[in-house]
Amino acid sequence: MACVYIPVQNSEEEVRVALDQLPRDASDILDILKAEQAPLDLWLIIAREYFKQGKIEQFRQILEEGSSPEIDEYYAEVRYERIAILNALGAYYTYLGKIETKNRKIETKHREKEEHFIMATQYYNKASRIDVHEPSTWVGKGQLLLAKGEVEQASSAFKIVLDADRDNVPALLGQACAEFNRGRFSDSLELYKRALQVYPDCPGAVRLGIGLCRYKLGQFEKARRAFQRALQLDPENVEALVALAIMDLHPNEASGIRKGMQKMQRAFEIYPYCAMALNYLANHFFFTGQHFLVEQLTETALAVTNHGPTKSHSYYNLARSYHSKGDYEKSGLYYMASVKEINKPHEFIFPYYGLGQVQLKLGDFRSALTNFEKVLEIYPDNCETLKSLGHIYVQLGQIEKGQEFMKKAAKIDARDAEAFTDLGELLISSDTSAALEAFKTARTLMKKGGQEVPIEVLNNIGVLHFEKEEFELAQQVFMEALGDGIWLTLLDNKVNIYAIDASASILQYKDMQLFRRLEEDGHSVELPWNKVTVLFNLARLLEQFNNTEAASILYRVILFKYPDYIDAYLRLAAISKARNNLQLSIELVNEALKVNGKYPTALSMLGDLELKNDDWVKAKETFRAASDATDGKDSYATLSLGNWNYYAALRNEKRAPKLEATHLEKAKELYTRVLIQHTSNLYAANGAGVVLAEKGHFDVSKDIFTQVQEAASGSVFVQMADVWINLAHVYFAQGNFALAVKMYQNCLRKFYHNTDAQILLYLARTHYEAEQWQDCKKTLLRAIHLAPSNYTLRFDAGVAMQKFSASTLQKTKRTADEVRSTVAELENAVRVFSQLSAGSNLHLHGFDEKKINTHVEYCKHLLEAAKVHREAAEREEQQNRQRQEAARQVALAEEARRKAEEQKKYLLEKRKQEDEQKRVRQLEENFERVKEQWKSSTSASKRRERPENDDEEGGHSEKRRRKGGKRKRKDKSSRSRYETQEEEADMMDDQDELEDEDANMNYRETTHQMDDQDDAAGENAQDLLAAAGLEDSDAEDEMAAPSSTAVRRRQALSESDDDEQPNPIRDNTDSDGEVRDDNDKPDEDAGLDDD
Amino acid sequence: MKLAGLKSTENAHDESVWAATWVPATDNRPALLLTGSLDETVKLWRADELDLERTNTGHCLGVVSVAAHPSGVIAASASLDSFVRVFDVDTNASIATLEAPPSEVWQMQFDPKGTTLAVAGGGSASVKLWDTATWKLIASLSIPRPEGPKPSDKSNSKKFVLSVAWSPDGRRLACGSMDGTISVFDVARAKFMHHLEGHSMPVRSLVYSPIDARVLFSASDDTHVHMYDAEGKSLVGAMSGHTSWVLSVDVSPDGAAIATGSSDRTVRLWDLSMRAAVQTMSNHTDQVWGVSFRPVGCNGNRGGRLASVSDDKSISLYGYS
């Protein structure tokens, strides 16, 4: 046991003080020291001992006493010891100050720290006053400056010492430390080395310094040896142990980590309060998932260390631990604490990343953004950070910037499938092609890496192909995603062997027997949850291929296994709706509503179906419910309500203008509301256009329709036939028939496969207005062929033929052929009307018999007239023919005469020639006379032309005669025209208002489809129009039920109105001045007066 | 099995061609193709070059259906004005003009023995049967009105009869209506038997399988072709694939395939063993109103033939093998 002996003054005796038994009260010792005037080095020894034992108070008491003025006075000669005491005090305060440096948190402590440093400075200055050259004082000062962080000055202090004695070990060490702090590791290393040379037995700390320098210089092997040597010298050297452990850990190899952790553990066992070791242990346990240990260790570490970076590390560990446990609030706080301990982000960046993640999780995007950006500054190529930033920018709405980051991330690590997946997900909403590329790259990478491609990625690829209309590819991908399963059996058409009872087949889309039977037959009907979506998408695709049967089986298998899958119900409902099986469709939607009674899509669909089913009140309630379910934010429901109001405005057969106006106003308000929410909602715009057109603002509505049409044609997913029709209606209303016709025709071809009788009716009406009777008739015949049970069309065809005939008979110039075709047409019209008349007894349609009979009578009457005309025309023709014949006869006679003449002449000539020959032979000298005869033969050839001229003259006279005939005919025609006009005038009054209604009806019909908007359920409303047409005639039937003739008449008229427009009276009335036969069938007029 | 395009005649008619059938071969000539059109004419064509044999006029409004007697000697054509004209195929001599007002005329078919002509009667909700010897109306097979308190006009108009088909044994007659139901009659007793349900849109064409008197094929506006067991009242299969109305269906003489024509402008060939479309012909540019397989004749018809007619005014001929 170490002892000190305090010599007793004036004696040879000594007081023996056992160093481990120093009295608790330092005053006792002080008394002895003072009393015996013990040498100052004893004071120092005792003070140091107290310090070693941690009795700081006693230590300070002794030293302070030892540096008191009395002592200075008394021991004035003993300079070195006095300096030593002062230096010791200086060092002590430096230490205190250093501790405080680390505890920067509190303001008061900060001040204390300053005070400590001031004290230390005072002591050192005092020491300096005793001896300026004392190296230990300078070393002390240097240490103080180092502690204060004034590295340059510290270095110069050490330099003073070293200049005096270049082998001063403490100064060397001090300088080395200064150099180390200045980052000049090689200089520092040199200094350490010299210290070692000068003082080979110096403590392990020097080796540690060398090791650290080497480590910093990257000479890991040498560093390791230095640490090991330090450890040899002092097996308990925790720092060396920790340093070695860190070096073991860093290469990140399993064996290294194990060794490293063993060392850490030993360090922990030796000295449980080494923060560094604690942090590393905590780190280790974090990775092994022992969060409890992590917390304990880091808490200890935090308690024992004041070193900023270490604390930061500890906080980081703690934060991470909470982070991984999902306690974002707490982990956020600790990350924050960790970040606070860091001066510059590049010292320790991880907490920033962690903090960013937590903030991202908590939705604080801006803060997360700044943190991630800090990380990116240091690691500009860090994929994870780039991806996180990308996500944040997307969340913040800066899509382009987000994509930029994502693309960068994907570019940096071209083998990171995840980056591409993320990129793809990001791009889905903005750029489907690029997204598809990204997903495909991801898939290829995963395949190359031998990884199984996740179903989600395949699903996304499939959907993107689907959206790009690459259906085959989409199918391949979906099948790949699905792999093997029951669906293969289902798609193989093998299930069709199970026949369904035809009477039960009305429920075929609800049938689940199929799967039970399959199960009974030993197939296992299994559907893993992660494949449901893919299967659903495949079914959608099959629908696209029009393979609705297979699609329905897939939807049903989904429902068989997952009866809560609402969308499958809705698709099945949509399929049966498309097949016009409304009852089944409603049942299916109700199934969906059983799962979730507030599902807005299902409610909207139900409303739609109810409307189709003519259940107006219910439909309105359902639409309301749908709207309420989404707080009015669902534009579909709002639009549906708008449409409802619109239909309601025009539906009422007893037209109440006030009610109509309210409904229209309401509809307009609803459309506008949707437009405010979604400025680009085509359906709302279309609706608004319709309301405007309804009010007669054709120019505005035309603009709207044109824009909607342009917008709609840009997307393959929007099928807006109605806007085409509406536009055509506007053209029609503005009298631009040619364009209207083109528009209707294009619409028919583009959207309806030419199958829509209603549009054909519009088309026919346009032809009618344009007075293209034959086109009108042909169009109506086509419509009848498409919709055979729509008798209205037959009536219209009859009217068209009647009109055609009347107008032909009115014409001033007619050929017999025209009249003949008029007669034929009238006969057809009579037949059509008669058939309708006969049919009306059987209540096949809602026409009034009387009305039809009026038409029959009128046509018959026209027919009579026309027959007369025909006969006249035929007679005329006959006469003409006869005349022509006669003329021809004349011509022929002429010809014959001419020919005979010629013959005669020929013979004459021949004879003459013969004579001549004779004469020549006989009388050559008579040559002159022969010449004369030749001349006479040429004049005969001139005469030959004359008969042709005669022919011409005959032609002229014929024409003249024809003209005369025409005049006669004109007289007759004026009569018939008069009748027509009579009729028109009679009908005009009714028609004027009815025409409006009719136009309205057209609009109403077409807008039926508007509700077919974005279509979450994707129901296809192509048949809506057809159904609307049917519904309409049904309505007519209902209306016909009351036997009031007046009402019925009106309906019939309103129907016929499709075609019977009041013709503007043309003013070629000059012929009206001519003779009129007023006695022409007065009963006909009387019949019409009944109107 | 497959179809191979042989010949296509553009502008075969002046207007849409709405009906087509094959007139069976007689002793002195091969089978002829008979077509009817909106242009009010009926034309006879000689295969395989589609040479025009003759143009029959005399109809008003469009010709909606044509039918040929199994003997190949006489044929019938019907137009929208509800007249049926029966004529001698070789001479075009009118044999009879049939009408049964107020019933309209839609699809027609001679029974396999040739003693009766069945005519779909449209809004009269009945099928009219005409004796081919006397040309007298012998029966009117009416679809019973659905039970209910008020048999309204509405439901009646939905039973509008569009199509008829005789079973190969001549004992059954099926008719399809606007509302999608198919009614089956026992001809001998002139009695309604039952409905076949499954369609909810107009059934425009029906045909029995020549090899199984129970199997009936139906084409509907709901884009589906159904295959029924007409006796057992069960739906054997539903085939989907057309993107628009299926307007016409015919079964191949060997009973192994059916062909369909649709508003989607295609002609499809379906393999009945797979119940799937095996071929899609898209040479027409408008709705295909009629498809017809040439019956197998005794005098050496080489290979099967299918004809299709369309709104695009053209006729197409395919080899079927």
Side-chain angles (χ1 to χ4, degrees):
Chain A
M1 183 50 61
C3 302
V4 283
Y5 298 90
I6 305 170
V8 177
Q9 207 174 9
N10 303 325
S11 92
E12 291 299 310
E13 284 177 46
E14 292 170 325
V15 178
R16 181 169 167 269
V17 180
L19 285 178
D20 54 347
Q21 286 170 351
L22 288 171
R24 189 161 300 162
D25 190 352
S27 314
D28 295 353
I29 289 283
L30 270 175
D31 286 347
I32 298 170
L33 288 170
K34 275 188 199 161
E36 306 302 336
Q37 294 180 350
L40 282 173
D41 60 333
L42 280 180
W43 291 57
L44 257 177
I45 288 167
I46 286 166
R48 208 186 295 145
E49 194 55 37
Y50 269 118
F51 185 78
K52 272 185 190 164
Q53 290 177 16
K55 296 172 176 164
I56 307 293
E57 210 36 54
Q58 287 84 339
F59 158 80
R60 212 189 58 203
Q61 201 181 345
I62 288 170
L63 287 186
E64 272 172 5
E65 204 65 41
S67 60
S68 62
E70 309 134 55
I71 300 290
D72 284 348
E73 213 171 294
Y74 185 82
Y75 292 101
E77 300 307 306
V78 194
R79 290 170 67 170
Y80 178 75
E81 276 79 8
R82 272 166 58 207
I83 290 169
I85 285 174
L86 287 168
N87 282 355
L89 273 168
Y92 168 67
Y93 281 107
T94 310
Y95 168 73
L96 282 183
K98 243 156 97 179
I99 289 172
E100 297 306 328
T101 316
K102 293 167 189 170
N103 279 341
R104 279 171 310 173
K105 274 182 221 160
I106 304 160
E107 203 53 26
T108 51
K109 287 219 169 167
H110 186 75
R111 214 180 308 130
E112 270 175 41
K113 175 189 86 178
E114 287 300 307
E115 276 165 18
H116 288 310
F117 283 136
I118 290 167
M119 290 291 281
T121 318
Q122 277 174 359
Y123 283 117
Y124 282 126
N125 286 345
K126 206 166 163 190
S128 291
R129 275 202 295 279
I130 296 169
D131 183 354
V132 193
H133 301 295
E134 177 54 43
S136 60
T137 311
W138 284 113
V139 172
K141 276 188 176 173
Q143 300 281 13
L144 172 64
L145 288 164
L146 264 185
K148 284 164 85 175
E150 296 163 21
V151 183
E152 293 303 318
Q153 276 166 295
S155 173
S156 48
F158 292 126
K159 199 164 175 283
I160 291 169
V161 181
L162 288 175
D163 285 346
D165 173 9
R166 60 184 292 271
D167 289 337
N168 184 313
V169 177
L172 277 174
L173 293 180
Q175 189 65 295
C177 186
E179 295 293 357
F180 188 90
N181 278 357
R182 286 153 100 183
R184 301 183 193 158
F185 302 115
S186 48
D187 291 350
S188 171
L189 184 61
E190 285 309 307
L191 288 163
Y192 276 126
K193 273 185 185 165
R194 213 158 80 217
L196 201 60
Q197 277 161 7
V198 175
Y199 183 54
D201 292 336
C202 69
V206 179
R207 310 260 174 196
L208 199 63
I210 290 175
L212 286 172
C213 286
R214 295 242 190 243
Y215 182 79
K216 287 282 184 191
L217 287 169
Q219 303 162 340
F220 297 118
E221 261 325 294
K222 283 185 176 167
R224 179 183 293 276
R225 255 181 279 146
F227 290 134
Q228 272 163 350
R229 177 79 185 129
L231 212 54
Q232 272 171 8
L233 292 173
D234 176 8
E236 310 251 296
N237 188 323
V238 175
E239 274 95 349
L241 209 51
V242 170
L244 271 176
I246 290 171
M247 289 191 71
D248 279 342
L249 288 175
H250 267 218
N252 230 348
E253 285 159 13
S255 62
I257 289 173
R258 205 174 310 118
K259 273 201 290 193
M261 283 328 291
Q262 277 166 359
K263 286 190 179 108
M264 282 292 182
Q265 218 166 331
R266 224 173 74 220
F268 177 71
E269 277 157 13
I270 295 163
Y271 181 65
Y273 302 113
C274 173
M276 189 81 95
L278 289 169
N279 277 339
Y280 271 97
L281 281 168
N283 187 31
H284 175 74
F285 288 122
F286 171 77
F287 282 115
T288 57
Q290 287 147 295
H291 294 293
F292 175 69
L293 285 171
V294 174
E295 276 159 45
Q296 273 198 326
L297 290 168
T298 42
E299 268 158 26
T300 319
L302 283 171
V304 296
T305 187
N306 288 311
H307 182 236
T310 316
K311 274 182 101 167
S312 161
H313 205 116
S314 303
Y315 281 127
Y316 172 64
N317 273 337
L318 209 49
R320 258 197 323 182
S321 168
Y322 282 114
H323 192 164
S324 69
K325 282 195 289 187
D327 187 346
Y328 299 114
E329 297 287 342
K330 248 187 186 161
S331 71
L333 287 178
Y334 281 116
Y335 277 131
M336 210 81 97
S338 175
V339 166
K340 264 190 197 145
E341 295 291 340
I342 302 165
N343 293 322
K344 288 177 199 146
H346 70 259
E347 283 176 358
F348 188 46
I349 196 67
F350 300 133
Y352 286 96
Y353 188 77
L355 187 59
Q357 281 182 314
V358 170
Q359 282 162 338
L360 185 61
K361 198 85 190 172
L362 295 175
D364 184 358
F365 297 123
R366 304 245 165 233
S367 315
L369 189 66
T370 37
N371 284 317
F372 280 125
E373 267 170 355
K374 269 181 196 141
V375 178
L376 201 64
E377 266 171 44
I378 292 152
Y379 297 109
D381 290 344
N382 185 293
C383 277
E384 296 299 323
T385 315
L386 285 169
K387 278 190 273 181
S388 307
L389 277 170
H391 274 298
I392 291 170
Y393 276 116
V394 170
Q395 296 287 346
L396 289 174
Q398 291 162 281
I399 308 254
E400 296 211 348
K401 216 162 178 186
Q403 283 174 8
E404 204 176 288
F405 277 107
M406 278 297 180
K407 278 183 189 151
K408 203 169 160 195
K411 206 187 282 171
I412 285 166
D413 193 348
R415 273 165 301 175
D416 183 358
E418 205 183 313
F420 281 102
T421 314
D422 287 352
L423 180 62
E425 275 167 16
L426 198 66
L427 288 166
I428 275 185
S429 52
S430 54
D431 184 350
T432 43
S433 304
L436 183 59
E437 278 313 304
F439 280 126
K440 274 188 183 162
T441 318
R443 179 177 63 175
T444 324
L445 288 171
M446 285 185 230
K447 275 187 181 158
K448 254 187 209 160
Q451 258 177 295
E452 200 178 321
V453 186
I455 292 177
E456 292 78 20
V457 172
L458 288 174
N459 186 37
N460 282 338
I461 295 176
V463 170
L464 286 168
H465 275 308
F466 194 170
E467 285 187 18
K468 291 184 76 189
E469 294 188 88
E470 296 161 350
F471 301 126
E472 301 289 336
L473 285 169
Q475 192 178 20
Q476 278 172 22
V477 176
F478 284 141
M479 291 312 281
E480 187 188 334
L482 284 171
D484 195 21
I486 185 71
W487 40 87
L488 291 183
T489 323
L490 292 172
L491 289 176
D492 217 14
N493 274 320
K494 279 179 194 152
V495 289
N496 270 337
I497 45 174
Y498 303 109
I500 310 159
D501 190 339
S503 57
S505 67
I506 193 138
L507 301 175
Q508 54 188 307
Y509 292 131
K510 282 174 78 181
D511 181 58
M512 294 290 174
Q513 270 186 356
L514 170 67
F515 308 116
R516 288 197 197 99
R517 268 194 247 175
L518 272 175
E519 275 184 336
E520 279 163 24
D521 287 1
H523 296 278
S524 74
V525 182
E526 287 302 327
L527 175 56
W529 61 271
N530 56 350
K531 289 185 177 171
V532 175
T533 311
V534 188
L535 202 60
F536 183 84
N537 286 334
L538 180 62
R540 286 290 289 118
L541 187 67
L542 288 170
E543 276 192 71
Q544 193 67 40
F545 284 134
N546 291 296
N547 197 346
T548 40
E549 290 308 307
S552 93
I553 290 175
L554 293 187
Y555 290 133
R556 275 182 285 157
V557 79
I558 290 175
L559 289 173
F560 183 62
K561 284 285 152 188
Y562 301 90
D564 287 353
Y565 203 94
I566 290 186
D567 286 338
Y569 280 116
L570 292 181
R571 285 317 306 162
L572 284 174
I575 291 175
S576 48
K577 186 180 161 200
R579 296 191 60 182
N580 206 24
N581 196 340
L582 297 186
Q583 184 204 342
L584 178 60
S585 189
I586 289 176
E587 272 176 47
L588 284 161
V589 176
N590 279 328
E591 288 288 327
L593 287 172
K594 262 184 220 162
V595 179
N596 179 356
K598 286 195 182 300
Y599 198 71
T601 317
L603 283 170
S604 300
M605 191 152 172
L606 182 63
D608 214 31
L609 285 163
E610 283 165 347
L611 206 56
K612 271 192 97 172
N613 222 7
D614 228 16
D615 214 338
W616 284 68
V617 182
K618 249 194 194 170
K620 188 176 185 180
E621 273 167 22
T622 314
F623 284 138
R624 281 254 170 82
S627 185
D628 291 346
T630 53
D631 294 327
K633 283 191 187 102
D634 185 52
S635 24
Y636 187 100
T638 318
L639 273 177
S640 302
L641 271 176
N643 289 345
W644 188 94
N645 272 296
Y646 178 69
Y647 304 150
L650 304 161
R651 180 175 171 77
N652 208 338
E653 51 266 26
K654 283 175 193 159
R655 291 155 68 80
K658 218 187 249 172
L659 207 66
E660 191 186 317
T662 353
H663 277 309
L664 271 185
E665 213 35 61
K666 182 80 188 156
K668 191 182 163 195
E669 182 203 316
L670 287 162
Y671 292 138
T672 320
R673 196 191 299 164
V674 176
L675 272 179
I676 289 167
Q677 277 171 5
H678 306 279
T679 43
S680 53
N681 191 313
L682 294 178
Y683 300 91
N686 186 33
V690 169
V691 175
L692 281 168
E694 205 63 67
K695 293 181 170 177
H697 307 301
F698 291 124
D699 286 323
V700 189
S701 61
K702 187 162 89 182
D703 280 351
I704 294 176
F705 292 141
T706 314
Q707 280 180 31
V708 172
Q709 187 199 21
E710 271 168 23
S713 55
S715 163
V716 292
F717 288 102
V718 189
Q719 295 270 305
M720 277 194 72
D722 357 345
V723 74
W724 291 62
I725 298 170
N726 287 339
L727 205 50
H729 282 335
V730 172
Y731 283 131
F732 173 79
Q734 292 185 330
N736 196 343
F737 301 131
L739 259 179
V741 165
K742 207 171 264 177
M743 212 64 158
Y744 286 130
Q745 280 172 342
N746 284 341
C747 175
L748 255 180
R749 197 173 47 241
K750 201 173 149 104
F751 299 103
Y752 297 99
H753 293 104
N754 287 339
T755 57
D756 194 285
Q758 188 68 33
I759 299 174
L760 279 172
L761 179 59
Y762 301 146
L763 190 57
R765 199 190 142 165
T766 315
H767 283 310
Y768 187 96
E769 281 298 291
E771 299 183 27
Q772 296 155 337
W773 314 115
Q774 283 306 312
D775 287 334
C776 174
K777 181 186 129 190
K778 285 272 160 65
T779 310
L780 284 168
L781 291 180
R782 277 178 211 281
I784 295 170
H785 193 217
L786 287 169
S789 60
N790 188 346
Y791 287 96
T792 315
L793 296 170
R794 286 173 181 270
F795 184 93
D796 294 343
V799 171
M801 290 186 280
Q802 169 193 324
K803 188 72 197 159
F804 163 70
S805 313
S807 72
T808 315
L809 290 179
Q810 240 172 293
K811 274 206 273 186
T812 45
K813 273 189 172 183
R814 292 162 304 188
T815 61
D817 277 346
E818 271 181 323
V819 184
R820 253 196 296 278
S821 72
T822 305
V823 171
E825 222 52 316
L826 276 170
E827 275 166 351
N828 285 336
V830 169
R831 181 161 174 80
V832 165
F833 286 129
S834 314
Q835 268 188 332
L836 284 172
S837 167
S840 66
N841 297 327
L842 298 169
H843 296 289
L844 291 178
H845 44 73
F847 303 121
D848 176 40
E849 206 180 334
K850 263 193 190 167
K851 167 75 188 170
I852 296 167
N853 283 336
T854 315
H855 277 280
V856 172
E857 289 308 314
Y858 175 62
C859 285
K860 276 184 181 163
H861 153 65
L862 264 186
L863 191 57
E864 294 294 314
K867 272 179 183 161
V868 177
H869 287 302
R870 184 179 62 179
E871 274 157 30
E874 274 171 359
R875 213 168 27 238
E876 197 78 31
E877 212 175 39
Q878 191 69 28
Q879 281 169 6
N880 279 349
R881 217 176 288 136
Q882 281 169 2
R883 235 171 264 132
Q884 264 171 344
E885 186 61 26
R888 207 165 58 90
Q889 297 285 319
V890 170
L892 276 175
E894 185 81 0
E895 180 79 353
R897 196 173 52 80
R898 193 174 48 87
K899 267 190 182 153
E901 222 165 76
E902 245 169 69
Q903 186 71 24
K904 223 160 57 187
K905 234 175 253 168
Y906 176 71
L907 286 174
L908 205 72
E909 250 167 65
K910 212 175 179 183
R911 210 180 300 141
K912 272 177 187 166
Q913 268 176 347
E914 277 167 14
D915 288 348
E916 206 180 327
Q917 273 167 358
K918 257 184 230 161
R919 260 174 244 159
V920 163
R921 238 179 285 132
Q922 295 171 347
L923 303 160
E924 262 188 312
E925 64 271 19
N926 281 349
F927 188 60
E928 286 297 307
R929 214 169 44 203
V930 174
K931 254 186 189 173
E932 200 66 27
Q933 272 174 337
W934 270 102
K935 262 178 205 165
S936 75
S937 80
T938 39
S939 71
S941 76
K942 255 179 208 161
R943 213 183 307 143
R944 227 178 273 156
E945 289 164 19
R946 209 180 302 144
E948 281 168 28
N949 286 343
D950 279 357
D951 271 353
E952 250 169 62
E953 269 165 56
H956 282 308
S957 65
E958 199 183 318
K959 261 181 206 162
R960 234 175 282 134
R961 252 169 276 148
R962 226 185 255 152
K963 263 177 204 161
K966 249 172 236 157
R967 189 164 298 132
K968 247 189 260 166
R969 238 179 259 148
K970 220 181 214 169
D971 299 347
K972 282 175 196 159
S973 81
S974 74
R975 217 187 304 145
S976 57
R977 185 186 328 136
Y978 165 73
E979 289 155 17
T980 341
Q981 280 164 359
E982 245 349 89
E983 144 118 354
E984 274 160 11
D986 282 333
M987 292 177 115
M988 201 108 70
D989 297 351
D990 282 329
Q991 282 170 349
D992 263 353
E993 53 170 297
L994 287 169
E995 185 198 1
D996 291 23
E997 179 182 74
D998 194 45
N1000 294 346
M1001 273 168 46
N1002 289 349
Y1003 286 121
R1004 168 170 59 133
E1005 242 99 79
T1006 51
T1007 44
H1008 257 284
Q1009 279 180 311
M1010 288 186 311
D1011 49 6
D1012 198 29
Q1013 56 135 8
D1014 40 37
D1015 249 353
E1019 67 255 59
N1020 196 349
Q1022 290 221 340
D1023 55 344
L1024 256 172
L1025 243 174
L1030 283 172
E1031 182 191 276
D1032 207 45
S1033 62
D1034 294 346
E1036 230 83 53
D1037 295 347
E1038 279 171 1
M1039 276 149 53
S1043 57
S1044 149
T1045 10
V1047 174
R1048 275 209 228 156
R1049 277 204 63 68
R1050 253 175 84 87
Q1051 282 140 18
L1053 259 180
S1054 79
E1055 274 308 315
S1056 72
D1057 231 62
D1058 276 335
D1059 295 296
E1060 257 179 282
Q1061 295 300 315
N1063 268 340
I1065 299 166
R1066 282 164 295 281
D1067 49 4
N1068 53 348
T1069 44
D1070 46 13
S1071 59
D1072 269 11
E1074 289 173 46
V1075 198
R1076 274 191 209 167
D1077 282 335
D1078 276 350
N1079 58 355
D1080 199 346
K1081 302 249 175 174
D1083 58 315
E1084 165 63 20
D1085 283 353
L1088 284 164
D1089 279 342
D1090 270 356
D1091 284 16
Chain B
M1 61 185 59
K2 72 177 179 59
L3 292 177
L6 286 180
K7 170 88 183 171
S8 225
T9 304
E10 303 296 323
N11 295 315
H13 280 270
D14 296 337
E15 277 289 349
S16 306
V17 193
W18 281 349
T21 195
W22 287 90
V23 181
T26 57
D27 295 339
N28 31 18
R29 57 150 175 81
L32 296 172
L33 180 66
L34 186 64
T35 59
S37 157
L38 173 60
D39 69 5
E40 306 179 352
T41 64
V42 173
K43 292 189 181 185
L44 276 159
W45 309 83
R46 192 183 284 272
D48 279 338
E49 283 306 311
L50 291 178
D51 298 318
L52 182 61
E53 185 86 357
R54 197 178 56 244
T55 303
N56 297 350
T57 55
H59 275 292
C60 294
L61 313 182
V63 176
V64 286
S65 79
V66 287
H69 192 270
S71 70
V73 177
I74 56 173
S77 54
S79 48
L80 276 176
D81 62 3
S82 307
F83 281 118
V84 179
R85 176 175 182 263
V86 184
F87 58 95
D88 184 294
V89 174
D90 293 317
T91 65
N92 191 25
S94 283
I95 294 169
T97 303
L98 313 175
E99 63 168 330
S103 132
E104 312 85 283
V105 177
W106 293 94
Q107 213 189 15
M108 310 180 287
Q109 203 185 4
F110 284 95
D111 83 313
K113 293 193 189 71
T115 57
T116 315
L117 174 67
V119 177
S124 64
S126 62
V127 178
K128 308 288 179 197
L129 299 183
W130 297 86
D131 187 297
T132 56
T134 61
W135 297 112
K136 293 267 188 279
L137 185 63
I138 47 172
S140 178
L141 305 176
S142 288
I143 301 172
R145 295 183 177 223
E147 311 91 44
K150 43 167 187 177
S152 60
D153 301 342
K154 208 170 165 179
S155 58
N156 197 4
S157 79
K158 284 188 177 174
K159 291 293 177 209
F160 194 104
V161 181
L162 279 174
S163 49
V164 284
W166 287 94
S167 69
D169 54 15
R171 292 169 54 223
R172 297 281 181 266
L173 184 73
C175 70
S177 35
M178 281 297 281
D179 68 351
T181 53
I182 295 161
S183 313
V184 182
F185 294 92
D186 179 341
V187 181
R189 293 186 291 149
K191 194 167 171 285
F192 167 79
M193 293 175 67
H194 50 249
H195 286 306
L196 301 173
E197 286 174 33
H199 291 297
S200 294
M201 288 168 86
V203 174
R204 289 179 195 265
S205 181
L206 284 172
V207 66
Y208 271 95
S209 163
I211 53 169
D212 184 348
R214 292 169 70 101
V215 176
L216 176 71
F217 301 98
S218 62
S220 164
D221 285 3
D222 66 10
T223 74
H224 284 58
V225 175
H226 281 183
M227 181 175 170
Y228 290 97
D229 175 352
E231 296 294 299
K233 290 212 291 178
S234 63
L235 176 62
V236 184
M239 289 172 270
S240 56
H242 279 298
T243 57
S244 186
W245 302 358
V246 190
L247 301 169
S248 175
V249 59
D250 198 18
V251 63
S252 69
D254 57 8
I258 56 170
T260 53
S262 159
S263 290
D264 67 11
R265 302 170 190 176
T266 63
V267 172
R268 283 182 196 230
L269 184 71
W270 307 75
D271 184 334
L272 291 175
S273 59
M274 298 198 291
R275 300 228 184 113
V278 285
Q279 204 174 353
T280 303
M281 312 297 290
S282 28
N283 48 316
H284 285 295
T285 58
D286 212 336
Q287 321 189 51
V288 181
W289 277 104
V291 286
S292 180
F293 278 104
R294 183 169 70 183
V296 197
C298 40
N299 50 357
N301 280 335
R302 304 169 311 281
R305 291 287 180 269
L306 176 74
S308 65
V309 296
S310 156
D311 255 356
D312 67 6
K313 307 173 191 171
S314 75
I315 302 174
S316 287
L317 189 68
Y318 317 88
Y320 164 74
S321 51

